[in-house]
Amino acid sequence: MHDLWAKSPTPRPGHPVPRGELLTHHLQATLNSLRQIQARVGRMLPLPGGFWVWAALAALLHDAGKVADGFQRMVGNSVEPPKNWGQRHEVLSLGFVSLLLDHLPAEDRLWIAGAVAGHHRPFTGAKGSLLTLYGGDSPAEFTTNFLPADTDAVNRLCAWLHHTATTSGLPTQSHAAPITPDTLVTHAHTLFDQLMDRWEWTLTSDDRHRGLTAVLLLGAVTMADHLSSGHRQLQQHQPLTADYRTRLTRRLATAGHTLRPQQTRAADTRGHMLLRSWTASGKTEASLLWARTQVTDLATLAAGNPRVFYLLPYLASINAMTSRLSDELDTSDGIGVAHSKAASYHLARALEDGCAGDAAGIRADAARKAHSRTQATRNFRELLRVGTPYQLLRGALAGPAHSSVLVDSANSVFILDELHAFDARRLGMILAMMRLWERTGGRIAVLSATMPTALAELVEATLQQPATLVEPPAEATAPARHHLHTRTAHLTADESIAEISAALDARESVLVVANNVKDAVYLYEKLAPTCTDLHGNDSAFLLHSRFKREDRNNIESAILRRFAVGNPRRPGLLIGTQVLEVSLNIDLDRCHTSAADLEALLQRFGRTNRVGALRPVPTIVHEPTYTPRRSGGELWADGVYEEAPTRLAWDILTHHNGQIIDEKATTAWLDQVYSSPWGKHWRATVDSHRTLFEDGFLTFAQPFDDRSNLAERFDELFDGTEAILSTDRDDYEQALKETGTDSAAGRLLADRYLIPMPHWAGPLTQYEKALNVRVIDGDYDPVLGLQKVRGPAQQTYQAGWVL
């Protein structure tokens, strides 16, 4: 069938406008992609047994309504000039569902119809929802909307669909009887009414399982549509190979070591795991050993190819961990990096089906959609991915744009590295998502050097299946790596700066962690000249979250060259914020830090004397200043950390001032914090946020309803967005074009200009739709990072507002 197109031609510079993609090619490719997804995900036990058959039929039929003359003209497949059709092809596709599958039980047919009709637009809730567009239409109005269509083309397409379903082993009618376009539209109208009757209203609590089935079914079909439209294949090779334990054991043996007991136990654990083991005791390797066991188990149980998600608390930590895993697994291929903001945009953009009213507009629209279809699949390709929990939580937004995230995470393995307990709201949401991951076949591990008992209890209470607690043997001695000191002088005080300068003069490597960027920059400007005079121009570093991505990568690489674990010890200075707490595998001689919550402080301590090769090193904690945030009200330590847990930590630390400490002791300190009145309030708050997130996002009581209002709420909860400087705007655009037709490579080149921004700073940015990026007017230095942002009405925001 070479006379029906599924998509507009994608123009290429210097080439004549080609033919559009054939409709039959696209439908076959979508069915093939669906089979890839099925082979990867495998059986999902909570779902009906017919799930993958429904998904395959929906994938085959989802765009069949594009046979209409109006659609063919819209995409340029007509002697007449292109013109916007204004109708929804997926609604007409329901006619083929009804005609070809009328032998199936009505219940099965409605499941298939839901995924077909829902793969672009919500059914209810939005201005452009299907119920709004067509809910009151009569059969005659349907005929006016969707016809004309060529009778011969309709019958040939129907015969092709019947043949393809039959040869693919899918249930269909015994033969494809001749039909007229009017018959097609009549069947579409009848099935559309049945579909709206089913999903217009909120599901009852006894029927909520249907909501999850609907969302996952929609996700499978939209993911297949993305893959086929982007002409991409899912990777089949798991970088965490079955011989990882053997290779790790051999590598350790060459250095005279063996697997630690907790690593062996992790490798032998089947099911969920809580791993509490001190810094530099091989937690990362233990988690990979555990993950490999789960991959093997799930592949057997679900007959799939499980994904492994290594999740970190901060977006800024992803690149460092990706490099570390590449080194650990001895591969640079097959480890993906998930970036939620870009993925979210492209998932939504790839689904848009409107076209401009003229030929040039249609060609430009086709190019933009082709780029987004390719980009939308990037985050699904690899079997091992590094990201943050918040990127996967976006699957809770469901709908045609995000439900594929939920399908992709089914029957998967999740490693949550240093899951922070102190942020009750985010922890509650992550716990709620853990419950959904488990429900869809997932295995979960939580790692921490000093996991408080309260956090372990919350995880165990959340999951239905038990979680095995893995720790070093009771007789093992935690290394005494730190000599604790407290100072009432603020970290930025003159006497603190003098003390740090003296350590630099004594040829020590000094870690300085401030609670906000303003303090970090101030300290760097005061101390870096002293350090470079003593130890050279490559001895002093500043790192926080508001650097361009390229500059941050360069800074991290330079830090690792000087301070990485295992390197010869060299004097120097590293100043930063909380981004230093995770992922960078560094080892310095001394730490000076502002007081914060105890978990954050223990992470900071762990970047000094990391492997215990030195005698206990000085770890100096400075009392913070308690100030309100921008909106006033409650006090926060240096404007960042909650007052109550910070004061609790400070009281414990001052009580142990001058003592040698180890991580067994500090775990007991954490339990003291979380058993306090504040800790009891924290526990209740976590439970409340878990319930709120489950009720607001994860019941799927209206799986085909518009959830764009939830998307806005969701964005407000998490780590914000990214922006480029107005002075980089032309360079950013040039980078996008630099690789010609390879838009994915161009996007990667352009990404080097991106700077992370908090969500609340959105009004300071200007969204440039043509480039799909936010732009800020700010002062930036490649050594100091983003210092000042100018907002509307000449408002100026200093760097103190960023972490």
Side-chain angles (χ1 to χ4, degrees):
M1 296 192 64
H2 296 282
D3 54 345
L4 293 177
W5 291 1
K7 303 181 189 301
S8 302
T10 302
R12 296 173 58 194
H15 292 75
V17 176
R19 182 180 66 182
E21 182 179 358
L22 295 181
L23 179 56
T24 49
H25 286 185
H26 174 62
L27 295 176
Q28 181 69 66
T30 305
L31 175 58
N32 295 344
S33 294
L34 190 283
R35 294 301 198 194
Q36 282 190 59
I37 297 166
Q38 179 182 0
R40 171 182 276 198
V41 175
R43 295 185 296 271
M44 290 187 281
L45 297 181
L47 302 184
F51 178 89
W52 287 114
V53 172
W54 301 339
L57 286 167
L60 176 62
L61 300 174
H62 76 290
D63 275 356
K66 291 181 176 180
V67 70
D69 288 356
F71 182 88
Q72 293 301 308
R73 179 179 178 180
M74 183 177 72
V75 295
N77 187 24
S78 171
V79 295
E80 300 175 281
K83 178 183 178 182
N84 191 17
W85 185 32
Q87 305 300 328
R88 302 307 313 166
H89 66 271
E90 60 270 30
V91 173
L92 183 59
S93 298
L94 293 176
F96 290 97
V97 175
S98 178
L99 288 163
L100 288 169
L101 305 179
D102 67 348
H103 65 296
L104 294 181
E107 176 76 3
D108 290 22
R109 197 161 54 249
L110 281 171
W111 281 118
I112 297 163
V116 168
H119 79 273
H120 282 296
R121 296 285 185 94
F123 292 178
T124 57
K127 183 178 180 180
S129 67
L130 297 186
L131 189 62
T132 301
L133 292 174
Y134 301 110
D137 284 7
S138 66
E141 288 170 319
F142 251 54
T143 298
T144 301
N145 286 332
F146 293 108
L147 297 185
D150 182 78
T151 301
D152 179 59
V154 168
N155 278 279
R156 284 187 292 115
L157 179 59
C158 195
W160 180 89
L161 291 167
H162 175 269
H163 172 76
T164 303
T166 301
T167 56
S168 301
L170 297 172
T172 185
Q173 287 279 46
S174 58
H175 65 283
I179 59 172
T180 65
D182 285 329
T183 302
L184 178 69
V185 172
T186 299
H187 279 260
H189 180 267
T190 301
L191 187 53
F192 178 81
D193 280 351
Q194 294 171 357
L195 200 59
M196 294 302 108
D197 287 345
R198 174 168 184 168
W199 295 112
E200 181 177 0
W201 309 108
T202 302
L203 295 172
T204 65
S205 57
D206 293 336
D207 207 23
R208 292 286 170 85
H209 64 281
R210 289 178 176 270
L212 179 60
T213 300
V215 167
L216 292 174
L217 183 60
L218 182 62
V221 174
T222 56
M223 185 176 174
D225 194 16
H226 295 324
L227 287 170
S228 62
S229 297
H231 306 288
R232 303 295 289 268
Q233 298 290 314
L234 295 175
Q235 290 191 357
Q236 304 299 322
H237 170 67
Q238 172 57 261
L240 182 57
T241 55
D243 66 343
Y244 174 65
R245 181 172 183 172
T246 301
R247 290 189 293 110
L248 176 60
T249 302
R250 187 182 303 126
R251 192 175 79 228
L252 291 172
T254 61
H257 304 298
T258 61
L259 289 177
R260 292 181 169 97
Q262 63 269 26
Q263 293 174 325
T264 299
R265 191 170 177 215
D268 294 338
T269 296
R270 285 174 165 76
H272 309 310
M273 178 180 71
L274 302 173
L275 176 61
R276 179 163 55 203
S277 187
W278 53 75
T279 302
S281 62
K283 284 196 305 298
T284 301
E285 293 85 351
S287 71
L288 294 175
L289 289 165
W290 169 84
R292 182 58 243 183
T293 299
Q294 312 321 304
V295 166
T296 301
D297 270 6
L298 289 176
T300 301
L301 291 170
N305 196 355
R307 279 71 62 222
V308 176
F309 296 93
Y310 200 107
L311 305 177
L312 300 155
Y314 306 123
L315 184 68
S317 308
I318 290 176
N319 288 344
M321 179 53 74
T322 303
S323 296
R324 185 174 177 186
L325 291 179
S326 296
D327 291 342
E328 176 63 29
L329 300 177
D330 193 25
T331 180
S332 59
D333 182 46
I335 300 179
V337 176
H339 291 294
S340 67
K341 295 299 178 182
S344 180
Y345 169 82
H346 290 298
L347 284 169
R349 186 68 181 86
L351 290 163
E352 292 180 8
D353 219 23
C355 292
D358 56 59
I362 286 176
R363 287 195 296 271
D365 187 66
R368 287 192 295 270
K369 284 188 292 184
H371 168 70
S372 282
R373 289 170 190 138
T374 300
Q375 294 296 309
T377 63
R378 282 179 58 199
N379 290 278
F380 300 127
R381 293 184 66 233
E382 292 87 1
L383 291 168
L384 173 57
R385 276 169 262 165
V386 183
T388 72
Y390 318 123
Q391 294 162 347
L392 288 184
L393 260 65
R394 285 193 78 83
L397 296 173
H402 295 99
S403 53
S404 49
V405 176
L406 295 179
V407 171
D408 182 53
S409 59
N411 289 330
S412 291
V413 179
F414 303 89
I415 301 169
L416 290 100
D417 192 353
E418 298 299 347
L419 178 62
H420 283 185
F422 64 86
D423 190 330
R425 180 178 63 178
R426 296 187 183 189
L427 177 59
M429 296 172 185
I430 293 169
L431 290 171
M433 204 68 184
M434 282 187 194
R435 184 173 287 173
L436 181 63
W437 292 336
E438 181 189 44
R439 186 178 170 192
T440 54
R443 301 273 181 92
I444 297 158
V446 176
L447 323 181
S448 178
T450 51
M451 186 186 306
T453 302
L455 176 58
E457 290 173 349
L458 275 170
V459 173
E460 290 172 335
T462 296
L463 301 173
Q464 297 296 310
Q465 297 299 314
T468 301
L469 177 62
V470 174
E471 298 181 284
E475 65 275 10
T477 302
R481 298 183 294 124
H482 301 117
H483 192 177
L484 175 65
H485 303 277
T486 58
R487 301 281 191 267
T488 56
H490 192 269
L491 185 64
T492 59
D494 289 344
E495 60 231 73
S496 303
I497 293 172
E499 186 175 5
I500 297 169
S501 297
L504 292 171
D505 191 53
R507 300 191 57 79
E508 294 185 27
S509 56
V510 185
L511 173 67
V512 181
V513 187
N515 286 339
N516 59 54
V517 170
K518 180 180 177 181
D519 288 350
V521 171
Y522 175 82
L523 289 163
Y524 181 82
E525 291 181 322
K526 287 287 186 180
L527 289 163
T530 299
C531 185
T532 55
D533 285 346
L534 289 168
H535 309 301
N537 290 332
D538 61 344
S539 63
F541 308 92
L542 172 68
L543 184 64
H544 53 74
S545 62
R546 309 304 177 200
F547 280 96
K548 296 179 189 178
R549 190 176 294 177
E550 180 179 43
D551 290 338
R552 181 190 178 90
N553 291 343
N554 291 337
I555 293 168
E556 287 183 348
S557 296
I559 289 170
L560 289 170
R561 283 195 297 271
R562 192 167 190 98
F563 301 127
V565 170
N567 285 1
R569 307 196 76 85
R570 300 171 66 189
L573 175 69
L574 173 56
I575 298 176
T577 60
Q578 66 180 20
V579 299
L580 295 173
E581 294 171 14
V582 292
S583 296
L584 282 177
N585 196 21
I586 53 177
D587 185 6
L588 287 84
D589 299 335
R590 163 190 292 255
C591 175
H592 284 259
T593 176
S594 287
D597 68 80
L598 190 55
E599 282 183 284
L601 292 175
L602 298 179
Q603 287 296 318
R604 297 172 188 183
F605 295 175
R607 307 298 141 181
T608 59
N609 199 13
R610 191 160 177 79
V611 296
L614 307 176
R615 298 178 63 183
V617 301
T619 304
I620 299 99
V621 182
H622 296 258
E623 190 171 15
T625 299
Y626 293 93
T627 60
R629 286 182 168 175
R630 302 179 312 278
S631 57
E634 298 177 347
L635 298 179
W636 300 78
D638 295 324
V640 175
Y641 289 91
E642 190 178 349
E643 178 185 17
T646 303
R647 290 194 185 278
L648 285 168
W650 178 253
D651 289 344
I652 291 171
L653 295 173
T654 54
H655 183 71
H656 294 278
N657 182 31
Q659 295 183 8
I660 306 297
I661 60 174
D662 62 37
E663 281 161 321
K664 282 190 175 180
T666 55
T667 299
W669 297 356
L670 283 171
D671 286 343
Q672 183 179 337
V673 169
Y674 286 103
S675 62
S676 69
W678 173 85
K680 292 180 172 59
H681 173 73
W682 164 86
R683 174 69 179 259
T685 305
V686 173
D687 285 335
S688 174
H689 283 297
R690 178 174 58 190
T691 301
L692 286 171
F693 193 69
E694 284 179 335
D695 292 346
F697 287 85
L698 300 180
T699 60
F700 307 116
Q702 287 188 287
F704 295 102
D705 193 50
D706 174 54
R707 294 166 76 92
S708 58
N709 62 319
L710 293 181
E712 184 175 344
R713 283 173 49 202
F714 189 93
D715 286 343
E716 292 174 357
L717 297 174
F718 298 120
D719 278 348
T721 185
E722 292 177 306
I724 62 170
L725 294 166
S726 57
T727 52
D728 286 336
R729 189 248 177 241
D730 292 344
D731 289 337
Y732 183 85
E733 182 176 23
Q734 182 61 35
L736 289 174
K737 300 175 180 178
E738 194 168 325
T739 55
T741 57
D742 189 348
S743 56
R747 178 66 59 178
L748 289 174
L749 288 173
D751 281 356
R752 66 182 184 265
Y753 297 106
L754 293 173
I755 303 172
M757 298 286 289
H759 180 270
W760 64 261
L764 305 179
T765 70
Q766 181 178 1
Y767 179 66
E768 185 153 345
K769 185 176 181 180
L771 300 179
N772 179 32
V773 71
R774 293 190 174 276
V775 181
I776 55 174
D777 179 17
D779 295 337
Y780 181 87
D781 182 277
V783 174
L784 302 179
L786 182 63
Q787 294 300 290
K788 185 184 296 183
V789 178
R790 287 173 286 276
Q794 301 304 309
Q795 293 170 300
T796 300
Y797 297 81
Q798 300 289 346
W801 49 260
V802 290
L803 294 177

